[in-house]
């Protein structure tokens, strides 16, 4: 043992400790270097890739200005989003109009709103975070995803979703309210309904399920009555808009098609339609047909798997562990993302409040996927659109990581692995 003495300080160094430290240092240093490089890139994207967001932000602002000028959405003009999306779109419009109504003012208040929503999500996570690990992980994930998080309204439905999960155990009526509100803000939340149903059945019985259903129906009826009262006859036409969309370039299927095209196996064109880049190939129709058939089958299988897992857990412990609910929710959302013909980068925001509660391995995979997503958009999106091989490879690595993440989430709710 070697000993170094300094006045007021004593450092005792064992050679074995040094060896252990040195063997670990390269990997740790490499990880730290990768994080620092990414944060530098992220800063660059925030400062110099804002143009990638202008199209969506202009759509939000124009929608807000039309409403503030007295026009009624879904009656006087069409909108491609569900009705409660108007809340995070209009609020920055109101604040912007008070400050002059410029586009720059709208963007400023939109960013402030999303940061506020991010802090509200953090507050809910903090109340749920018994072990004290999820909250710092959430802030880390949010930091790494700022170039997307700040400029889309998806933090709003993400907040509603985590509120629904937070209330499920003790306030199922309010859980139903938040769940229906999240569906009305972004339709993806509808895939969570089977998970809530299965969880309530094996962790509280019919009473809890009926209370949640009552909250769900109350919000649903309120929305229907409001749309009828103001004659929003086209309030549900946004679903038809999405049915017409093709295979978006960032989707799982899109990444595979781009890889096949890079290998010279198929030919494809990229077309800008429905506000996004879609792939045009002779295989498109068959892939879309297969997706429409395979997606409901996959969700039925997933629901059956979760029902079996929750039932087994309830038989063993008398109740389903609440820690199982969040990875089950995350897996359900991720399955929806992977099977979807459209994969916009903001979809990752839906997972931000959930993955921090999962095991560290799942969180690490998620963080890397977030970093690659930001590199794709807004980082080097036109390199992907121009089908440059490095970006095609990065896209497929990101998608492969999400498949791996899905497998890890499934393992978390497997009674034989728990």
């Amino acid at each position: 043992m070697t000993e170094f003495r300094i006045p007021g300080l004593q450092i005792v160094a064992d050679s074995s400790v040094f060896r252990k430290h040195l063997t670990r240092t390269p990997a740790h240093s490499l990880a730290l270097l990768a994080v620092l490089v990414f944060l530098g890139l992220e800063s660059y994207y925030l400062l110099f890739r804002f143009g990638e967001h202008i199209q969506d932000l202009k759509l939000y602002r124009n929608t807000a200005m039309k409403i503030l000028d007295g026009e009624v959405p879904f009656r006087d003009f069409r909108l491609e989003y569900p009705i409660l999306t108007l809340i995070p779109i209009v609020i920055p419009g109101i604040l912007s109009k008070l400050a002059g109504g410029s586009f720059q003012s709208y963007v400023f208040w939109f960013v402030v709103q999303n940061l506020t929503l991010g802090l509200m999500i953090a507050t809910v996570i903090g109340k749920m975070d018994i072990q004290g690990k999820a909250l710092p992980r959430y802030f880390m994930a949010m930091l790494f995803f700022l170039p997307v998080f700040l400029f889309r309204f998806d933090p709003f439905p993400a907040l509603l979703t985590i509120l629904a999960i937070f209330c499920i155990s003790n306030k199922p009526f309010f859980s139903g309210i938040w769940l229906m509100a999240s569906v009305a803000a972004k339709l993806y939340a509808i895939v969570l309904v089977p998970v809530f149903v299965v969880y309530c059945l094996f962790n509280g019985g019919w009473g809890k399920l009926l209370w949640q259903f009552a909250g769900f129906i109350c919000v649903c009826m309120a929305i229907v009555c409001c749309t009828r009262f103001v004659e929003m006859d086209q309030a549900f036409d946004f679903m038809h808009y999405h049915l017409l969309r093709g295979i978006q370039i960032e989707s799982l299927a899109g990444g595979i098609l781009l890889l096949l095209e890079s290998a010279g196996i198929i030919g494809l064109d990229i077309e800008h339609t429905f506000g996004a880049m879609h792939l045009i190939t002779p295989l498109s129709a068959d892939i879309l047909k297969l997706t429409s058939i395979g997606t409901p089958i996959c969700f039925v299988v997933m629901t059956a798997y979760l029902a079996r897992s929750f039932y087994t857990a309830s038989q063993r412990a008398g109740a389903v562990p609440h820690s199982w609910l969040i990875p089950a929710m995350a897996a359900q959302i991720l399955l929806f993302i992977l099977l979807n013909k459209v994969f916009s980068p903001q979809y990752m925001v839906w997972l931000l409040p959930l993955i921090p509660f999962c095991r560290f391995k799942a969180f690490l995979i998620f963080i890397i996927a977030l970093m690659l997503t930001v590199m794709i958009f807004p980082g080097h999106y036109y390199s992907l659109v121009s089908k440059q091989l490095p970006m095609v490879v990065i896209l497929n690595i990101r998608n492969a990581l999400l498949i791996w993440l899905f497998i890890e989430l499934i393992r978390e709710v497997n009674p034989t692995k728990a």
Side-chain angles (χ1 to χ4, degrees), residues 72-75 83 86 226-228 230-235:
V72 178
F74 306 110
R75 187 191 72 184
I83 188 167
L86 296 173
C226 288
T227 54
R228 293 296 183 187
V230 295
E231 299 179 343
M232 294 183 181
D233 298 328
Q234 302 170 350

Side-chain angles (χ1 to χ4, degrees), residues 90-131:
V90 172
I91 289 176
I94 296 172
L95 297 172
S96 171
K97 204 160 190 178
L98 294 174
S102 67
F103 175 71
Q104 291 78 6
S105 174
Y106 181 86
V107 172
F108 171 79
W109 287 114
F110 194 90
V111 169
V112 170
Q113 173 186 256
N114 278 3
L115 288 173
T116 303
L117 289 170
L119 292 176
M120 293 171 70
I121 293 172
T123 301
V124 180
I125 291 175
K127 293 180 179 180
M128 299 170 61
D129 187 14
I130 299 173
Q131 297 181 344

Side-chain angles (χ1 to χ4, degrees), residues 224-372:
V224 170
C225 290
C226 288
T227 54
R228 293 296 183 187
F229 180 75
V230 295
E231 299 179 343
M232 294 183 181
D233 298 328
Q234 302 170 350
F236 300 100
D237 280 3
F238 70 92
M239 296 177 66
H240 179 67
Y241 171 90
H242 290 286
L243 288 174
L244 293 176
R245 297 186 67 173
I247 301 172
Q248 195 251 357
I249 191 171
E250 296 165 76
S251 65
L252 178 62
I256 295 172
L257 288 172
L258 284 173
L259 204 58
L260 292 175
E261 198 265 353
S262 298
I265 298 174
I266 64 170
L268 61 81
D269 294 316
I270 298 178
E271 186 176 81
H272 185 268
T273 54
F274 300 97
M277 298 296 179
H278 294 87
L279 304 183
I280 309 299
T281 78
L283 300 174
S284 295
D286 293 332
I287 292 174
L288 292 172
K289 185 180 297 183
L290 182 63
T291 300
S292 64
I293 296 172
T295 297
I297 294 174
C298 289
F299 276 110
V300 169
V301 172
M302 181 68 174
T303 302
Y305 172 81
L306 292 176
R308 173 184 170 275
S309 297
F310 286 4
Y311 172 76
T312 303
S314 65
Q315 292 297 303
R316 288 180 179 176
V320 181
H322 191 266
S323 60
W324 280 28
L325 180 60
I326 294 179
M329 294 288 185
Q332 189 82 339
I333 293 173
L334 188 50
L335 180 63
F336 173 78
I337 293 173
L338 291 171
L339 293 175
N340 207 324
K341 61 184 178 180
V342 177
F343 186 169
S344 298
Q346 62 265 27
Y347 290 5
M348 299 288 280
V349 175
W350 307 343
L351 296 168
L352 274 180
L354 306 179
I355 301 297
F357 286 96
C358 302
R359 293 173 183 168
F360 180 73
K361 185 177 181 181
F363 174 72
L364 184 60
I365 296 169
F366 180 63
I367 283 292
I368 298 172
L370 284 181
M371 295 166 71
L372 294 180

